[in-house]
Amino acid sequence: MQQPVKMGRIAAVVPVQDMPSAERFYLEALGFKKVFENGNPLGFMILKRDEAELHITLQPQHKAAHYPIAHLLVDDASAMFALCQQAGARIIKGVQDKEYGLRAFVFADPDGNRIDVGQILPIA
């Protein structure tokens, strides 16, 4: 019998056409910190904020998907929504309380990548 495999961290890889724009958005607007970068010109970076981690990769021919490519859990979806609006992110779906126990919304980054944001609501 095979031993179960223990899994560790998994991080979304976000493709972008414009690395400087993505860097400004995620670092300055959303408050991520760059913990690794590679390439000259910059072609890859790892960003972290609290428990969240994103890997940003330069893909000059990238076309954004019409669905979320990552899900981000936060402790305050309304505050995150306000932060995204202030940053000029395109809001795909506004904040809604879902029947499955999440307060959620979807935004798009400057390259059109959709991120689904959710806050776990207390059980009533």
Side-chain angles (χ1 to χ4, degrees), residues 44-68:
F44 178 78
M45 60 185 166
I46 297 175
L47 308 178
K48 289 189 177 186
R49 178 177 171 184
D50 304 316
E51 300 297 317
E53 181 174 325
L54 285 176
H55 294 195
I56 309 294
T57 180
L58 181 62
Q59 298 294 320
Q61 305 304 316
H62 169 63
K63 300 283 186 239
H66 297 291
Y67 51 84

PDB file of all heavy atoms in Angstrom, residues 44-68:
ATOM      1  N   PHE A  44      10.024  37.205 -13.536  1.00  0.00           N
ATOM      2  CA  PHE A  44       9.340  36.374 -12.543  1.00  0.00           C
ATOM      3  C   PHE A  44       9.544  36.991 -11.170  1.00  0.00           C
ATOM      4  O   PHE A  44      10.634  37.472 -10.855  1.00  0.00           O
ATOM      5  CB  PHE A  44       9.908  34.951 -12.559  1.00  0.00           C
ATOM      6  CG  PHE A  44       9.290  34.041 -11.540  1.00  0.00           C
ATOM      7  CD1 PHE A  44       8.043  33.476 -11.766  1.00  0.00           C
ATOM      8  CD2 PHE A  44       9.941  33.758 -10.357  1.00  0.00           C
ATOM      9  CE1 PHE A  44       7.461  32.632 -10.809  1.00  0.00           C
ATOM     10  CE2 PHE A  44       9.371  32.918  -9.402  1.00  0.00           C
ATOM     11  CZ  PHE A  44       8.136  32.359  -9.641  1.00  0.00           C
ATOM     12  N   MET A  45       8.487  36.979 -10.364  1.00  0.00           N
ATOM     13  CA  MET A  45       8.633  37.419  -8.982  1.00  0.00           C
ATOM     14  C   MET A  45       7.660  36.661  -8.089  1.00  0.00           C
ATOM     15  O   MET A  45       6.604  36.223  -8.541  1.00  0.00           O
ATOM     16  CB  MET A  45       8.444  38.929  -8.841  1.00  0.00           C
ATOM     17  CG  MET A  45       7.139  39.483  -9.269  1.00  0.00           C
ATOM     18  SD  MET A  45       7.179  41.303  -9.169  1.00  0.00           S
ATOM     19  CE  MET A  45       5.705  41.656 -10.122  1.00  0.00           C
ATOM     20  N   ILE A  46       8.061  36.497  -6.846  1.00  0.00           N
ATOM     21  CA  ILE A  46       7.211  35.894  -5.828  1.00  0.00           C
ATOM     22  C   ILE A  46       6.814  37.000  -4.870  1.00  0.00           C
ATOM     23  O   ILE A  46       7.668  37.748  -4.377  1.00  0.00           O
ATOM     24  CB  ILE A  46       7.929  34.758  -5.071  1.00  0.00           C
ATOM     25  CG1 ILE A  46       8.283  33.622  -6.044  1.00  0.00           C
ATOM     26  CG2 ILE A  46       7.063  34.243  -3.923  1.00  0.00           C
ATOM     27  CD1 ILE A  46       9.097  32.506  -5.414  1.00  0.00           C
ATOM     28  N   LEU A  47       5.513  37.106  -4.624  1.00  0.00           N
ATOM     29  CA  LEU A  47       4.960  38.128  -3.751  1.00  0.00           C
ATOM     30  C   LEU A  47       4.261  37.471  -2.571  1.00  0.00           C
ATOM     31  O   LEU A  47       3.614  36.431  -2.727  1.00  0.00           O
ATOM     32  CB  LEU A  47       3.946  38.990  -4.508  1.00  0.00           C
ATOM     33  CG  LEU A  47       4.414  39.586  -5.837  1.00  0.00           C
ATOM     34  CD1 LEU A  47       3.274  40.359  -6.484  1.00  0.00           C
ATOM     35  CD2 LEU A  47       5.628  40.454  -5.646  1.00  0.00           C
ATOM     36  N   LYS A  48       4.377  38.089  -1.397  1.00  0.00           N
ATOM     37  CA  LYS A  48       3.699  37.582  -0.198  1.00  0.00           C
ATOM     38  C   LYS A  48       3.065  38.730   0.559  1.00  0.00           C
ATOM     39  O   LYS A  48       3.578  39.852   0.571  1.00  0.00           O
ATOM     40  CB  LYS A  48       4.684  36.859   0.723  1.00  0.00           C
ATOM     41  CG  LYS A  48       5.151  35.535   0.187  1.00  0.00           C
ATOM     42  CD  LYS A  48       5.950  34.791   1.237  1.00  0.00           C
ATOM     43  CE  LYS A  48       6.347  33.416   0.721  1.00  0.00           C
ATOM     44  NZ  LYS A  48       6.995  32.615   1.746  1.00  0.00           N
ATOM     45  N   ARG A  49       1.948  38.408   1.179  1.00  0.00           N
ATOM     46  CA  ARG A  49       1.312  39.295   2.147  1.00  0.00           C
ATOM     47  C   ARG A  49       0.573  38.393   3.125  1.00  0.00           C
ATOM     48  O   ARG A  49      -0.289  37.622   2.726  1.00  0.00           O
ATOM     49  CB  ARG A  49       0.335  40.262   1.486  1.00  0.00           C
ATOM     50  CG  ARG A  49      -0.349  41.152   2.508  1.00  0.00           C
ATOM     51  CD  ARG A  49      -1.266  42.170   1.898  1.00  0.00           C
ATOM     52  NE  ARG A  49      -2.017  42.793   2.980  1.00  0.00           N
ATOM     53  CZ  ARG A  49      -2.965  43.666   2.799  1.00  0.00           C
ATOM     54  NH1 ARG A  49      -3.290  44.054   1.585  1.00  0.00           N
ATOM     55  NH2 ARG A  49      -3.602  44.162   3.833  1.00  0.00           N
ATOM     56  N   ASP A  50       0.919  38.482   4.390  1.00  0.00           N
ATOM     57  CA  ASP A  50       0.343  37.611   5.414  1.00  0.00           C
ATOM     58  C   ASP A  50       0.526  36.159   4.971  1.00  0.00           C
ATOM     59  O   ASP A  50       1.641  35.745   4.729  1.00  0.00           O
ATOM     60  CB  ASP A  50      -1.119  37.978   5.689  1.00  0.00           C
ATOM     61  CG  ASP A  50      -1.282  39.451   6.096  1.00  0.00           C
ATOM     62  OD1 ASP A  50      -0.471  39.918   6.917  1.00  0.00           O
ATOM     63  OD2 ASP A  50      -2.186  40.121   5.577  1.00  0.00           O
ATOM     64  N   GLU A  51      -0.557  35.388   4.826  1.00  0.00           N
ATOM     65  CA  GLU A  51      -0.469  33.988   4.415  1.00  0.00           C
ATOM     66  C   GLU A  51      -0.566  33.817   2.896  1.00  0.00           C
ATOM     67  O   GLU A  51      -0.403  32.710   2.381  1.00  0.00           O
ATOM     68  CB  GLU A  51      -1.575  33.174   5.082  1.00  0.00           C
ATOM     69  CG  GLU A  51      -1.530  33.177   6.602  1.00  0.00           C
ATOM     70  CD  GLU A  51      -0.264  32.549   7.152  1.00  0.00           C
ATOM     71  OE1 GLU A  51       0.163  31.492   6.636  1.00  0.00           O
ATOM     72  OE2 GLU A  51       0.313  33.130   8.087  1.00  0.00           O
ATOM     73  N   ALA A  52      -0.859  34.884   2.177  1.00  0.00           N
ATOM     74  CA  ALA A  52      -1.058  34.807   0.725  1.00  0.00           C
ATOM     75  C   ALA A  52       0.279  34.837  -0.016  1.00  0.00           C
ATOM     76  O   ALA A  52       1.192  35.554   0.379  1.00  0.00           O
ATOM     77  CB  ALA A  52      -1.939  35.957   0.253  1.00  0.00           C
ATOM     78  N   GLU A  53       0.349  34.076  -1.094  1.00  0.00           N
ATOM     79  CA  GLU A  53       1.539  34.067  -1.942  1.00  0.00           C
ATOM     80  C   GLU A  53       1.109  33.990  -3.400  1.00  0.00           C
ATOM     81  O   GLU A  53       0.246  33.196  -3.762  1.00  0.00           O
ATOM     82  CB  GLU A  53       2.426  32.866  -1.606  1.00  0.00           C
ATOM     83  CG  GLU A  53       3.695  32.803  -2.421  1.00  0.00           C
ATOM     84  CD  GLU A  53       4.632  31.697  -1.968  1.00  0.00           C
ATOM     85  OE1 GLU A  53       4.706  31.409  -0.754  1.00  0.00           O
ATOM     86  OE2 GLU A  53       5.295  31.120  -2.845  1.00  0.00           O
ATOM     87  N   LEU A  54       1.696  34.843  -4.226  1.00  0.00           N
ATOM     88  CA  LEU A  54       1.455  34.842  -5.665  1.00  0.00           C
ATOM     89  C   LEU A  54       2.785  34.774  -6.391  1.00  0.00           C
ATOM     90  O   LEU A  54       3.760  35.395  -5.967  1.00  0.00           O
ATOM     91  CB  LEU A  54       0.741  36.128  -6.110  1.00  0.00           C
ATOM     92  CG  LEU A  54      -0.721  36.279  -5.794  1.00  0.00           C
ATOM     93  CD1 LEU A  54      -1.210  37.669  -6.230  1.00  0.00           C
ATOM     94  CD2 LEU A  54      -1.541  35.205  -6.468  1.00  0.00           C
ATOM     95  N   HIS A  55       2.811  34.041  -7.493  1.00  0.00           N
ATOM     96  CA  HIS A  55       3.968  34.003  -8.370  1.00  0.00           C
ATOM     97  C   HIS A  55       3.551  34.718  -9.653  1.00  0.00           C
ATOM     98  O   HIS A  55       2.595  34.299 -10.315  1.00  0.00           O
ATOM     99  CB  HIS A  55       4.379  32.566  -8.671  1.00  0.00           C
ATOM    100  CG  HIS A  55       4.865  31.838  -7.457  1.00  0.00           C
ATOM    101  ND1 HIS A  55       5.564  30.663  -7.556  1.00  0.00           N
ATOM    102  CD2 HIS A  55       4.758  32.102  -6.135  1.00  0.00           C
ATOM    103  CE1 HIS A  55       5.874  30.240  -6.335  1.00  0.00           C
ATOM    104  NE2 HIS A  55       5.382  31.094  -5.458  1.00  0.00           N
ATOM    105  N   ILE A  56       4.235  35.785  -9.994  1.00  0.00           N
ATOM    106  CA  ILE A  56       3.927  36.581 -11.176  1.00  0.00           C
ATOM    107  C   ILE A  56       4.957  36.259 -12.246  1.00  0.00           C
ATOM    108  O   ILE A  56       6.158  36.334 -11.994  1.00  0.00           O
ATOM    109  CB  ILE A  56       3.955  38.098 -10.857  1.00  0.00           C
ATOM    110  CG1 ILE A  56       3.108  38.436  -9.624  1.00  0.00           C
ATOM    111  CG2 ILE A  56       3.541  38.908 -12.074  1.00  0.00           C
ATOM    112  CD1 ILE A  56       1.634  38.214  -9.781  1.00  0.00           C
ATOM    113  N   THR A  57       4.492  35.897 -13.442  1.00  0.00           N
ATOM    114  CA  THR A  57       5.399  35.522 -14.516  1.00  0.00           C
ATOM    115  C   THR A  57       5.088  36.321 -15.779  1.00  0.00           C
ATOM    116  O   THR A  57       3.917  36.492 -16.133  1.00  0.00           O
ATOM    117  CB  THR A  57       5.328  34.000 -14.802  1.00  0.00           C
ATOM    118  OG1 THR A  57       6.237  33.674 -15.852  1.00  0.00           O
ATOM    119  CG2 THR A  57       3.943  33.545 -15.199  1.00  0.00           C
ATOM    120  N   LEU A  58       6.123  36.814 -16.420  1.00  0.00           N
ATOM    121  CA  LEU A  58       5.970  37.574 -17.655  1.00  0.00           C
ATOM    122  C   LEU A  58       5.641  36.625 -18.797  1.00  0.00           C
ATOM    123  O   LEU A  58       6.391  35.695 -19.082  1.00  0.00           O
ATOM    124  CB  LEU A  58       7.256  38.345 -17.964  1.00  0.00           C
ATOM    125  CG  LEU A  58       7.232  39.202 -19.227  1.00  0.00           C
ATOM    126  CD1 LEU A  58       6.165  40.289 -19.136  1.00  0.00           C
ATOM    127  CD2 LEU A  58       8.613  39.825 -19.453  1.00  0.00           C
ATOM    128  N   GLN A  59       4.500  36.861 -19.427  1.00  0.00           N
ATOM    129  CA  GLN A  59       4.049  36.082 -20.582  1.00  0.00           C
ATOM    130  C   GLN A  59       3.549  37.078 -21.622  1.00  0.00           C
ATOM    131  O   GLN A  59       2.381  37.487 -21.585  1.00  0.00           O
ATOM    132  CB  GLN A  59       2.931  35.108 -20.185  1.00  0.00           C
ATOM    133  CG  GLN A  59       3.344  34.068 -19.167  1.00  0.00           C
ATOM    134  CD  GLN A  59       4.380  33.119 -19.716  1.00  0.00           C
ATOM    135  OE1 GLN A  59       4.316  32.697 -20.871  1.00  0.00           O
ATOM    136  NE2 GLN A  59       5.359  32.773 -18.894  1.00  0.00           N
ATOM    137  N   PRO A  60       4.414  37.539 -22.529  1.00  0.00           N
ATOM    138  CA  PRO A  60       4.056  38.613 -23.460  1.00  0.00           C
ATOM    139  C   PRO A  60       2.806  38.352 -24.303  1.00  0.00           C
ATOM    140  O   PRO A  60       2.130  39.291 -24.697  1.00  0.00           O
ATOM    141  CB  PRO A  60       5.293  38.740 -24.350  1.00  0.00           C
ATOM    142  CG  PRO A  60       6.417  38.234 -23.509  1.00  0.00           C
ATOM    143  CD  PRO A  60       5.815  37.130 -22.685  1.00  0.00           C
ATOM    144  N   GLN A  61       2.458  37.112 -24.563  1.00  0.00           N
ATOM    145  CA  GLN A  61       1.280  36.793 -25.373  1.00  0.00           C
ATOM    146  C   GLN A  61       0.049  36.451 -24.527  1.00  0.00           C
ATOM    147  O   GLN A  61      -0.960  35.984 -25.055  1.00  0.00           O
ATOM    148  CB  GLN A  61       1.590  35.621 -26.318  1.00  0.00           C
ATOM    149  CG  GLN A  61       2.800  35.831 -27.198  1.00  0.00           C
ATOM    150  CD  GLN A  61       2.707  37.096 -28.037  1.00  0.00           C
ATOM    151  OE1 GLN A  61       1.679  37.396 -28.614  1.00  0.00           O
ATOM    152  NE2 GLN A  61       3.796  37.851 -28.074  1.00  0.00           N
ATOM    153  N   HIS A  62       0.116  36.711 -23.235  1.00  0.00           N
ATOM    154  CA  HIS A  62      -0.966  36.339 -22.309  1.00  0.00           C
ATOM    155  C   HIS A  62      -2.297  36.975 -22.675  1.00  0.00           C
ATOM    156  O   HIS A  62      -2.367  38.163 -22.985  1.00  0.00           O
ATOM    157  CB  HIS A  62      -0.588  36.748 -20.884  1.00  0.00           C
ATOM    158  CG  HIS A  62      -1.706  36.654 -19.898  1.00  0.00           C
ATOM    159  ND1 HIS A  62      -2.316  35.470 -19.574  1.00  0.00           N
ATOM    160  CD2 HIS A  62      -2.329  37.607 -19.174  1.00  0.00           C
ATOM    161  CE1 HIS A  62      -3.272  35.695 -18.686  1.00  0.00           C
ATOM    162  NE2 HIS A  62      -3.295  36.986 -18.437  1.00  0.00           N
ATOM    163  N   LYS A  63      -3.341  36.175 -22.646  1.00  0.00           N
ATOM    164  CA  LYS A  63      -4.724  36.629 -22.781  1.00  0.00           C
ATOM    165  C   LYS A  63      -5.457  36.173 -21.527  1.00  0.00           C
ATOM    166  O   LYS A  63      -5.447  34.986 -21.193  1.00  0.00           O
ATOM    167  CB  LYS A  63      -5.396  36.022 -24.019  1.00  0.00           C
ATOM    168  CG  LYS A  63      -4.714  36.368 -25.323  1.00  0.00           C
ATOM    169  CD  LYS A  63      -5.038  37.787 -25.749  1.00  0.00           C
ATOM    170  CE  LYS A  63      -4.472  38.066 -27.128  1.00  0.00           C
ATOM    171  NZ  LYS A  63      -3.548  39.148 -27.179  1.00  0.00           N
ATOM    172  N   ALA A  64      -6.092  37.107 -20.852  1.00  0.00           N
ATOM    173  CA  ALA A  64      -6.764  36.797 -19.584  1.00  0.00           C
ATOM    174  C   ALA A  64      -7.933  35.838 -19.797  1.00  0.00           C
ATOM    175  O   ALA A  64      -8.660  35.931 -20.782  1.00  0.00           O
ATOM    176  CB  ALA A  64      -7.251  38.078 -18.925  1.00  0.00           C
ATOM    177  N   ALA A  65      -8.111  34.942 -18.834  1.00  0.00           N
ATOM    178  CA  ALA A  65      -9.240  34.009 -18.846  1.00  0.00           C
ATOM    179  C   ALA A  65     -10.508  34.748 -18.424  1.00  0.00           C
ATOM    180  O   ALA A  65     -10.447  35.802 -17.779  1.00  0.00           O
ATOM    181  CB  ALA A  65      -8.972  32.865 -17.879  1.00  0.00           C
ATOM    182  N   HIS A  66     -11.647  34.181 -18.761  1.00  0.00           N
ATOM    183  CA  HIS A  66     -12.938  34.763 -18.407  1.00  0.00           C
ATOM    184  C   HIS A  66     -13.490  34.154 -17.123  1.00  0.00           C
ATOM    185  O   HIS A  66     -14.697  34.163 -16.899  1.00  0.00           O
ATOM    186  CB  HIS A  66     -13.939  34.578 -19.552  1.00  0.00           C
ATOM    187  CG  HIS A  66     -13.522  35.291 -20.796  1.00  0.00           C
ATOM    188  ND1 HIS A  66     -13.503  36.659 -20.900  1.00  0.00           N
ATOM    189  CD2 HIS A  66     -13.073  34.822 -21.975  1.00  0.00           C
ATOM    190  CE1 HIS A  66     -13.075  36.999 -22.096  1.00  0.00           C
ATOM    191  NE2 HIS A  66     -12.796  35.905 -22.767  1.00  0.00           N
ATOM    192  N   TYR A  67     -12.613  33.638 -16.295  1.00  0.00           N
ATOM    193  CA  TYR A  67     -12.986  33.029 -15.023  1.00  0.00           C
ATOM    194  C   TYR A  67     -11.857  33.313 -14.034  1.00  0.00           C
ATOM    195  O   TYR A  67     -10.728  33.623 -14.426  1.00  0.00           O
ATOM    196  CB  TYR A  67     -13.190  31.506 -15.190  1.00  0.00           C
ATOM    197  CG  TYR A  67     -12.025  30.830 -15.868  1.00  0.00           C
ATOM    198  CD1 TYR A  67     -10.902  30.432 -15.152  1.00  0.00           C
ATOM    199  CD2 TYR A  67     -12.036  30.616 -17.248  1.00  0.00           C
ATOM    200  CE1 TYR A  67      -9.823  29.837 -15.787  1.00  0.00           C
ATOM    201  CE2 TYR A  67     -10.965  30.018 -17.884  1.00  0.00           C
ATOM    202  CZ  TYR A  67      -9.875  29.622 -17.145  1.00  0.00           C
ATOM    203  OH  TYR A  67      -8.800  29.044 -17.763  1.00  0.00           O
ATOM    204  N   PRO A  68     -12.141  33.221 -12.735  1.00  0.00           N
ATOM    205  CA  PRO A  68     -11.078  33.466 -11.744  1.00  0.00           C
ATOM    206  C   PRO A  68      -9.962  32.432 -11.855  1.00  0.00           C
ATOM    207  O   PRO A  68     -10.218  31.242 -12.045  1.00  0.00           O
ATOM    208  CB  PRO A  68     -11.809  33.347 -10.408  1.00  0.00           C
ATOM    209  CG  PRO A  68     -13.229  33.659 -10.728  1.00  0.00           C
ATOM    210  CD  PRO A  68     -13.450  33.078 -12.101  1.00  0.00           C
TER     211      PRO A  68
END
